[in-house]
């Protein structure tokens, strides 16, 4: 693993003009339906027609990898480590003013969650490669509302052009978890960006919220990524953050006593009462099912209905430390899926604990049940 403190050159992608945004905090990773909202489609159409920001989608094809030479030879870096550190501080400030923790977590997860362990070639295998910045993928039904996340992060990308979109999305996701009181995620960086929309994955690789057989559906989707039952349940726990909005996902109430006053844009239905605090409340609340103002999707209920999932859900409901440990490991694993790293073993930005430097090998992510 390369741990770098000097300015390492980066993969350069043309950046877009800054745009202001009225943020609506969105649902988290598992809460999806096939129907995207007209509001999100309208947002995309407005973006496309704006001469100031249409190149968010259109002019991001050219890529350039620079190299750094030293006593150990020449090394290529996808992202500048110093700029990653600075971008992280800017993301922290963004979170303090926009309360967009759930939205940024979802952005990182959806960029990585298209990974298919059965495809070896990059970028056909999907995963954390920055493809979600392109309009064709933003228009996927499961990504409704994520254009707002891109608009929030674009000024940071403009400022730190030496950071790839793939790294920025995952940096924002991990930082949002940590700033909400969650565990420190053992992240590494150096993800290479795809260069054009033709490299985006096809629609349909992300989970639905209400499939006919929720447990089977979760396994079908996440086993394809190489994740196991423990990781599925641990990652589900991130629903302790955020709200679902019926105009986007088709799920949840327009507002509840927990969401009618914000923070951020009011409305939606949350999974927990303190929906900007990362803890194990999600598991406690699903188990108790006592509050009609709290959301329980079919895929949430499956965690206590399915015998294998239930072992972990019960554990996390009473042991937050165990949940934090397993969540941090699962989040880091998800963030690496499908990525091509430069250097191959990745780069650790200071403060990322227990990161083992290794090249990405698709076969290592081919596990099933644990």
């Amino acid at each position: 693993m390369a741990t770098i403190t000097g300015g390492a050159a980066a993969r350069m992608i043309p950046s877009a003009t800054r745009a202001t945004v009225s943020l609506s905090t969105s649902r988290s990773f598992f809460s999806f339906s096939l129907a995207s909202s007209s509001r999100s489609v309208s947002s995309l159409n407005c973006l496309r027609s704006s001469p100031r920001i249409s190149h968010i989608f259109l002019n991001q094809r050219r890529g350039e990898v620079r190299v750094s030479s030293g006593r150990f030879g020449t090394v290529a870096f996808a992202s500048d480590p110093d700029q990653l550190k600075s971008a992280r501080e800017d993301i922290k400030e963004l979170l303090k003013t926009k309360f967009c923790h759930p939205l940024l977590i979802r952005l990182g997860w959806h960029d990585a969650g298209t990974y298919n362990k059965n495809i070896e070639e990059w970028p056909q295998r999907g995963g954390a490669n920055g493809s979600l910045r392109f309009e064709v993928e933003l228009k996927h039904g499961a990504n409704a509302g994520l254009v707002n996340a891109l608009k929030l992060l674009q000024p940071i990308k403009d400022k730190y052009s030496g950071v790839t979109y793939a790294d920025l999305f995952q940096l924002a996701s991990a930082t949002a978890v940590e700033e909400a009181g969650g565990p420190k995620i053992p992240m590494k960086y150096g993800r290479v960006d795809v260069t054009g929309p033709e490299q985006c994955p096809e629609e349909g690789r992300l989970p639905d919220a209400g499939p006919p057989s929720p447990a089977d559906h979760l396994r079908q989707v996440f086993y394809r990524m190489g994740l196991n039952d423990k990781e599925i349940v641990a990652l589900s726990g991130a629903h302790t953050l955020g709200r679902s909005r019926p105009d986007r996902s088709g799920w949840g109430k327009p507002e509840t006593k927990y969401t009618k006053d914000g923070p951020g844009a009011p409305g939606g239905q949350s999974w927990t009462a303190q929906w900007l605090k990362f803890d194990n409340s999600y598991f406690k609340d699903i188990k108790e099912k006592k509050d009609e103002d709290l959301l329980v999707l079919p895929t949430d209920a499956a965690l206590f209905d399915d015998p294998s999932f239930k072992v972990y859900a019960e554990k996390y409901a009473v042991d937050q430390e165990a949940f934090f440990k397993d969540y941090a490991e699962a989040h880091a694993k998800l963030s690496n899926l499908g990525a091509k790293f430069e250097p191959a073993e990745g780069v650790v930005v200071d403060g990322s604990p227990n990161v083992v430097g290794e090249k990405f090998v698709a076969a290592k992510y081919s596990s099933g049940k644990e």
Side-chain angles (χ1 to χ4, degrees):
M1 177 66 61
T3 304
I4 311 295
T5 57
R11 181 178 181 86
M12 303 293 289
I13 301 293
S15 55
T17 307
R18 297 175 184 171
T20 57
V21 58
S22 175
L23 172 68
S24 296
T25 309
S26 181
R27 68 196 189 280
S28 237
F29 188 67
F30 294 101
S31 52
F32 310 100
S33 70
L34 294 178
S36 60
S37 70
S38 59
R39 179 187 302 176
S40 299
V41 173
S42 176
S43 296
L44 282 167
N45 289 336
C46 289
L47 279 168
R48 292 185 68 184
S49 62
S50 170
R52 297 189 62 219
I53 60 178
S54 61
H55 58 291
I56 283 180
F57 305 116
L58 302 178
N59 296 333
Q60 297 173 343
R61 300 179 64 91
R62 188 178 70 253
E64 179 180 320
V65 177
R66 299 182 183 178
V67 297
S68 176
S69 299
R71 58 180 296 193
F72 298 110
T74 300
V75 181
F77 293 92
S79 290
D80 183 319
D82 287 339
Q83 290 196 24
L84 280 165
K85 295 177 188 178
S86 297
R88 182 173 58 190
E89 296 308 307
D90 284 16
I91 290 168
K92 290 179 182 179
E93 292 303 311
L94 178 69
L95 292 165
K96 291 176 183 177
T97 58
K98 296 295 185 180
F99 309 105
C100 54
H101 305 66
L103 189 65
L104 297 187
I105 293 170
R106 183 169 161 246
L107 177 71
W109 285 16
H110 283 214
D111 196 46
T114 59
Y115 174 63
N116 186 339
K117 71 183 183 185
N118 301 310
I119 302 174
E120 292 188 10
E121 295 79 12
W122 183 92
Q124 292 92 329
R125 64 194 183 206
N129 58 29
S131 63
L132 190 45
R133 72 190 190 273
F134 290 110
E135 179 185 16
V136 63
E137 190 169 346
L138 282 168
K139 289 174 68 175
H140 291 178
N143 294 328
L146 284 180
V147 64
N148 290 330
L150 180 64
K151 288 160 67 179
L152 285 169
L153 289 179
Q154 191 61 49
I156 298 176
K157 181 67 175 76
D158 292 345
K159 185 176 179 181
Y160 304 107
S161 60
V163 175
T164 62
Y165 280 97
D167 272 348
L168 182 62
F169 293 169
Q170 300 308 322
L171 175 66
S173 183
T175 302
V177 170
E178 295 164 6
E179 291 298 293
K184 183 71 177 178
I185 312 297
M187 298 290 291
K188 65 178 181 178
Y189 298 95
R191 296 168 187 79
V192 175
D193 278 335
V194 296
T195 56
E198 70 279 0
Q199 295 175 308
C200 291
E202 72 280 3
E203 187 167 7
R205 293 195 186 187
L206 295 170
D208 295 329
S213 301
D216 291 343
H217 176 70
L218 289 176
R219 288 194 175 96
Q220 179 183 3
V221 172
F222 286 93
Y223 283 10
R224 188 210 68 222
M225 299 182 209
L227 299 173
N228 58 38
D229 285 3
K230 180 175 74 172
E231 291 159 339
I232 291 171
V233 179
L235 288 170
S236 298
H239 272 157
T240 191
L241 300 177
R243 302 168 282 178
S244 180
R245 295 182 178 275
D247 59 337
R248 293 183 182 176
S249 67
W251 295 93
K253 299 179 179 180
E255 70 173 28
T256 70
K257 60 178 177 285
Y258 302 117
T259 66
K260 63 184 179 67
D261 297 320
Q269 185 175 14
S270 60
W271 286 262
T272 62
Q274 293 181 289
W275 49 269
L276 285 177
K277 179 182 179 181
F278 197 101
D279 58 18
N280 66 337
S281 295
Y282 168 77
F283 298 104
K284 294 179 180 179
D285 292 335
I286 292 177
K287 184 177 181 180
E288 294 176 358
K289 296 181 179 178
K290 292 181 179 179
D291 194 333
E292 292 184 354
D293 268 352
L294 296 180
L295 181 64
V296 180
L297 297 169
T299 44
D300 299 318
L303 303 184
F304 283 91
D305 294 339
D306 179 86
S308 178
F309 288 159
K310 185 176 181 180
V311 172
Y312 302 109
E314 293 275 7
K315 178 182 180 181
Y316 298 152
V318 298
D319 190 341
Q320 180 168 286
E321 184 177 349
F323 166 52
F324 274 25
K325 176 181 180 296
D326 291 347
Y327 178 84
E329 293 173 356
H331 184 122
K333 181 175 179 179
L334 176 67
S335 76
N336 294 338
L337 293 181
K340 179 168 72 173
F341 286 92
E342 291 179 353
E345 69 275 13
V347 175
V348 174
V349 176
D350 59 355
S352 293
N354 304 320
V355 182
V356 178
E358 60 179 359
K359 294 183 179 180
F360 179 87
V361 180
K364 289 195 63 178
Y365 294 87
S366 298
S367 59
K369 267 191 176 182
E370 180 175 287

